[in-house]
Amino acid sequence: MKVKTVKDQSKNFLTALNEAVDGKYCLRLYVTGTTPRSVRAITNIKRICETHLKGNYTLEVVDIYQQPVLAKGEQIIAAPTLIKQLPLPLRRFIGDMTDSNRILLGLDLRPINNSDDKNGNGR
Amino acid sequence: MKTKPIKAQKLRPLEKISSGISGLDEITGGGLPKGRPTLVCGNAGCGKTLMAMEFLVRGATDHNEPGVFMSFEENEEELTRNVASLGFDLDALSAKKKIVLDHVRIERSEIEETGEYDLEGLFIRLNYAIESIGAKRVVLDTIEGLFAGLPNHSILRSELRRLFRWLKDKGMSAIITAERGDGLLTRHGLEEYVADCVILLDHRVNEQLSTRRLRVVKYRGSVHGTNEYPFLISKDGFSVLPVTSMGLDHPASSERISSGVERLDTMLGGKGFFRGSSILVSGTAGTGKSSIAAAFVDAAARRGERALYFAFEESQNQILRNMKSISLDLEPWVKKGLLQFHASRPSLCGLEMHLLNIYDAVKKFKPSVVVMDPVTNLISVGTEIEVRSMLTRLIDFFKTEQVTAVFPSLTSGDTSISSPSEVGIASLMDVWVLLRNIESAGERNRGLYILKARGMEHSNQIREVILSNHGIGLVDVYAGPESVLTGSARIEQAGREKADIDRRKALMERREREIARERGVIAAQVAVLNAGLEAKIDEFNQEITDETLLDQVNAKSRVNLAANRQADVEPKIKATNGHNRVEAVRK
């Protein structure tokens, strides 16, 4: 893997900044064919996006059986894997997306349940 | 009851593929199982990755079996750089589509588990890599990386089980490396899944010297060496040194070669050592061990054979200079390429490294004679058992290669014939030449005897070694009724004996002269007596003549008288009477 140059990184940062201003989510879901788990993941993520990010996201579903090169390029190990490319930071969600709480947390869409507990008190 | 014999040709034994690692194939009886996964486990820094990499690279270069290296720890660039020191050019191999490197990066902090999943992504990646080059070999290094990155271990376990099954179904000969765990072979109990062949690597430090060891813990469907074998990672890669694989079936030559010291050959039945035998030359400091070794090397070079000299105490130049003092000029042989020196301190590296260096040097130079001077210095590197096992391997190796080896061995203390460690070595040797300081009458001399010489007659006598600028000489000592005399005592004794002989010789000569003189005297006396006798005989003859004349005169006068008297009968004359008497005397 090539190390990204500083220029690239700053460019990414700028784009990310712009995107973040737009608040647009860029998601990519990698699945393996039409296994029940894949289907479940697709429906789950679609539901979450439609509920919480309506009109503010792009979701791309990739079948890595058909594009195995991407598995290496994107460092995919588990399936299904959802990658949140934007807004930064990059995050990976593995599993069939049934744990919507975790996804929402990871997408920074829902504050941690007890906002008082933010500082880690009482844990 | 008759049982049907099992038809051997129908049974197909487990197929094996060469691991490409020297020595490992010997232990495992042919290599790693073909089309099956092998688990290599060990602590950090014991060489798992290198072993796996060598397996792949050798497969790709020597056996035309391309391979996939899936790394969970180092990235492609790091791997390439790390193994470049072993001479593996991964870039070139990748370009030739012989090897695919795939770095799997798992960031725990980026990953969120959101339900059920599997590792199909990994399978697809692996499959893609395998198919892109038609790989036959696969390495997964280190599988622990997955456990660190993915929180759900139960999924991981079942997926790994599936992965190994899948690799087996695809007919991949795989190496999976894993960290060693507490009380377990691997930290996550992987040996339960990948159980066809398990190899354990170990890195131990003993007395500040590290030794790497390898053990085949398990090998389904195959016999294998069960011992711990030392192994090395050197500039030529990974090598295991099996000791038991070398059977005691080396050839035994009956050719004899000269020891380089004439009298020593004489002591050994007049012909010297057997070719391919091991010779221990032991003695305390300064007894001439190295000199005898050098003479042997010199003799070999004179015959046009190659010799290899491993020096653990002196440098090459020092040896060359020192041997010149006993008129052994080894330098021309070095220049001609018949003699090679390998000088190193024993503490430079561990025993195994030494052993490997020796193997390497012998394999490359192909000498017929080897000297290890002094072999006892190696004891400082390892324990006695280790040294002994190393020497056993070394001697076996030399014998297989038909190399005649001389092991000068330093003994401490001069009272005992040998130290215990030496006895351990001695049983491995074919010939044992013992050099000893003999101290008497205020001087020290070197004595040599042959304690043992397998398969040849040898002298039981002590000889004195004389090192001079004429070379090495062995002379008979004076073995008198009281003690053995050497050095000036011997010379003195020899002088005394010579004086004795001289004195007796002079005595005999004088006696001879006396007798000769006496004979002269007696002869003179005989001559005088003879002369006297002659004189007497002459006198007697004269008397007879006179008497005869007288007789005749008398007879004549008697005749005349008778005529005068006119006698009728002539008187008888006996003239011969006197003459007859003379004859009798002469007789």
Side-chain angles (χ1 to χ4, degrees):
Chain A
M1 219 175 66
K2 274 195 176 173
V3 181
K4 282 175 184 165
T5 62
V6 178
K7 208 175 170 185
D8 284 342
Q9 280 178 356
S10 59
K11 199 176 158 193
N12 281 354
F13 180 72
L14 280 176
T15 353
L17 205 63
N18 292 334
E19 296 281 336
V21 172
D22 291 345
K24 195 142 184 165
Y25 278 82
C26 184
L27 305 173
R28 199 177 272 186
L29 181 66
Y30 294 89
V31 291
T32 49
T34 51
T35 57
R37 212 174 268 144
S38 301
V39 174
R40 215 159 43 233
I42 294 169
T43 44
N44 281 339
I45 194 67
K46 273 193 175 160
R47 184 173 43 77
I48 292 168
C49 289
E50 282 301 308
T51 327
H52 299 274
L53 293 166
K54 200 166 165 55
N56 196 23
Y57 73 98
T58 53
L59 175 68
E60 197 184 335
V61 180
V62 180
D63 182 359
I64 45 174
Y65 276 142
Q66 288 169 26
Q67 287 173 285
V69 194
L70 288 180
K72 186 178 178 181
E74 294 290 336
Q75 290 290 350
I76 309 292
I77 312 151
T81 298
L82 175 74
I83 297 183
K84 182 195 78 167
Q85 288 171 314
L86 289 172
L88 290 178
L90 186 131
R91 283 204 151 260
R92 288 159 194 274
F93 303 88
I94 56 173
D96 56 9
M97 312 293 151
T98 41
D99 193 343
S100 41
N101 261 349
R102 278 191 170 231
I103 298 173
L104 292 175
L105 274 175
L107 293 175
D108 298 322
L109 289 177
R110 177 179 288 181
I112 295 162
N113 275 351
N114 312 318
S115 47
D116 302 342
D117 216 25
K118 239 183 193 170
N119 301 329
N121 300 328
R123 275 203 182 178
Chain B
M1 205 174 91
K2 254 190 166 180
T3 50
K4 272 191 176 175
I6 300 162
K7 284 178 183 166
Q9 65 267 32
K10 277 198 178 172
L11 290 171
R12 272 180 55 228
L14 187 71
E15 275 190 83
K16 293 177 183 178
I17 51 162
S18 166
S19 60
I21 291 160
S22 53
L24 184 60
D25 291 356
E26 290 173 49
I27 299 171
T28 52
L32 301 178
K34 188 181 180 180
R36 294 184 181 197
T38 298
L39 183 69
V40 175
C41 45
N43 291 323
C46 67
K48 301 184 293 290
T49 307
L50 277 182
M51 183 176 170
M53 187 56 94
E54 184 152 1
F55 167 72
L56 270 201
V57 172
R58 299 276 182 230
T61 53
D62 302 347
H63 303 282
N64 198 23
E65 291 192 352
V68 173
F69 194 99
M70 193 167 243
S71 162
F72 296 89
E73 274 176 350
E74 295 163 289
N75 66 29
E76 289 90 339
E77 202 180 329
E78 285 166 338
L79 268 178
T80 311
R81 204 173 299 162
N82 292 351
V83 299
S85 59
L86 298 182
F88 299 154
D89 190 351
L90 291 186
D91 284 335
L93 285 169
S94 305
K96 277 195 258 170
K97 289 203 173 272
K98 289 280 189 190
I99 274 186
V100 168
L101 299 178
D102 189 358
H103 174 225
V104 177
R105 191 174 56 88
I106 310 166
E107 287 288 340
R108 183 74 180 84
S109 59
E110 281 181 359
I111 291 173
E112 203 74 64
E113 277 188 354
T114 66
E116 280 179 40
Y117 60 91
D118 52 37
L119 292 184
E120 197 60 28
L122 191 71
F123 282 65
I124 291 169
R125 277 173 83 161
L126 197 51
N127 191 36
Y128 178 70
I130 288 170
E131 273 165 17
S132 67
I133 55 165
K136 294 269 183 287
R137 297 183 179 201
V138 168
V139 169
L140 301 177
D141 177 59
T142 307
I143 212 82
E144 255 72 23
L146 277 178
F147 283 89
L150 298 173
N152 194 335
H153 286 189
S154 57
I155 288 185
L156 211 47
R157 276 164 200 281
S158 70
E159 283 297 292
L160 282 180
R161 192 188 291 262
R162 191 161 71 90
L163 179 67
F164 299 146
R165 186 74 246 167
W166 178 79
L167 283 172
K168 228 173 178 175
D169 291 343
K170 282 190 84 71
M172 291 295 132
S173 311
I175 285 188
I176 291 110
T177 66
E179 292 284 332
R180 188 154 186 201
D182 272 341
L184 288 168
L185 288 177
T186 59
R187 202 169 290 165
H188 297 282
L190 286 172
E191 62 270 23
E192 292 168 27
Y193 319 140
V194 201
D196 282 303
C197 180
V198 180
I199 293 171
L200 182 67
L201 303 181
D202 187 20
H203 194 185
R204 252 175 275 166
V205 178
N206 199 349
E207 304 251 345
Q208 300 163 27
L209 282 162
S210 74
T211 315
R212 296 167 194 271
R213 284 162 214 273
L214 174 147
R215 182 161 70 97
V216 179
V217 181
K218 172 175 184 178
Y219 199 146
R220 269 189 193 156
S222 167
V223 285
H224 58 86
T226 50
N227 299 343
E228 277 195 319
Y229 302 96
F231 73 90
L232 274 183
I233 297 171
S234 68
K235 61 182 189 302
D236 298 320
F238 206 95
S239 42
V240 186
L241 315 164
V243 56
T244 47
S245 69
M246 296 194 180
L248 274 175
D249 54 358
H250 31 67
S253 168
S254 52
E255 191 191 338
R256 301 280 279 264
I257 51 174
S258 165
S259 65
V261 181
E262 210 186 317
R263 283 296 300 269
L264 188 54
D265 289 348
T266 326
M267 285 175 83
L268 293 162
K271 293 170 208 157
F273 307 118
F274 278 120
R275 186 179 290 285
S277 60
S278 321
I279 299 127
L280 179 69
V281 181
S282 75
T284 48
T287 43
K289 301 179 295 292
S290 300
S291 306
I292 285 189
F296 185 54
V297 163
D298 184 60
R302 272 177 209 285
R303 288 192 301 269
E305 294 172 11
R306 286 160 189 263
L308 202 51
Y309 198 113
F310 293 97
F312 298 120
E313 252 172 7
E314 297 172 282
S315 72
Q316 172 179 346
N317 292 333
Q318 205 180 338
I319 294 171
L320 290 179
R321 182 201 66 194
N322 295 351
M323 289 309 148
K324 267 184 196 154
S325 72
I326 54 165
S327 82
L328 279 175
D329 194 1
L330 300 177
E331 215 164 334
W333 308 130
V334 176
K335 281 188 182 142
K336 265 190 180 173
L338 285 171
L339 173 61
Q340 219 176 60
F341 281 88
H342 282 255
S344 63
R345 283 276 169 211
S347 51
L348 179 75
C349 47
L351 272 183
E352 271 62 43
M353 199 70 174
H354 279 296
L355 188 55
L356 192 87
N357 288 341
I358 294 166
Y359 270 43
D360 265 6
V362 170
K363 286 267 184 203
K364 275 184 199 143
F365 191 61
K366 300 207 176 302
S368 71
V369 166
V370 163
V371 175
M372 306 262 302
D373 184 24
V375 72
T376 30
N377 263 25
L378 289 173
I379 291 172
S380 62
V381 188
T383 63
E384 213 177 293
I385 296 168
E386 283 171 331
V387 172
R388 203 177 162 198
S389 111
M390 175 213 171
L391 282 175
T392 313
R393 275 179 277 163
L394 200 58
I395 289 169
D396 278 351
F397 171 67
F398 286 152
K399 291 202 164 163
T400 337
E401 299 283 316
Q402 282 291 292
V403 171
T404 318
V406 177
F407 300 87
S409 155
L410 180 73
T411 44
S412 51
D414 41 15
T415 45
S416 66
I417 287 181
S418 52
S419 67
S421 65
E422 198 178 271
V423 172
I425 299 171
S427 70
L428 302 169
M429 300 289 174
D430 297 319
V431 180
W432 185 359
V433 177
L434 184 71
L435 290 160
R436 234 182 112 183
N437 277 328
I438 299 168
E439 207 174 298
S440 65
E443 64 173 33
R444 187 177 61 79
N445 295 296
R446 305 177 177 95
L448 175 146
Y449 33 113
I450 296 169
L451 275 187
K452 111 175 187 191
R454 282 183 183 151
M456 50 184 141
E457 55 173 309
H458 53 276
S459 164
N460 64 348
Q461 298 292 304
I462 299 185
R463 296 279 180 269
E464 189 181 340
V465 182
I466 293 174
L467 299 178
S468 66
N469 51 8
H470 302 301
I472 304 175
L474 293 184
V475 292
D476 295 340
V477 295
Y478 174 77
E482 282 161 35
S483 70
V484 164
L485 297 181
T486 53
S488 35
R490 171 178 52 75
I491 291 165
E492 205 182 309
Q493 181 65 32
R496 219 175 301 151
E497 277 180 4
K498 191 167 183 299
D500 199 37
I501 289 167
D502 285 353
R503 196 168 47 78
R504 265 185 300 176
K505 205 173 149 197
L507 197 72
M508 289 309 287
E509 277 169 4
R510 210 179 73 201
R511 292 268 305 147
E512 210 176 305
R513 277 200 307 278
E514 256 169 37
I515 286 171
R517 230 175 5 247
E518 211 163 314
R519 181 183 289 142
V521 169
I522 288 171
Q525 280 173 352
V526 167
V528 169
L529 285 177
N530 269 341
L533 187 63
E534 287 290 335
K536 275 183 185 160
I537 289 168
D538 274 351
E539 199 178 331
F540 186 53
N541 284 347
Q542 190 57 52
E543 274 173 29
I544 289 169
T545 321
D546 290 350
E547 203 155 314
T548 317
L549 282 175
L550 200 60
D551 278 351
Q552 284 171 353
V553 171
N554 281 348
K556 248 184 202 168
S557 56
R558 216 176 287 136
V559 168
N560 290 336
L561 198 60
N564 281 340
R565 286 183 190 160
Q566 286 140 352
D568 51 343
V569 178
E570 217 173 282
K572 248 185 177 174
I573 301 164
K574 284 197 175 168
T576 54
N577 226 3
H579 193 78
N580 281 346
R581 235 173 287 154
V582 171
E583 281 301 305
V585 168
R586 273 185 197 272
K587 272 175 190 170

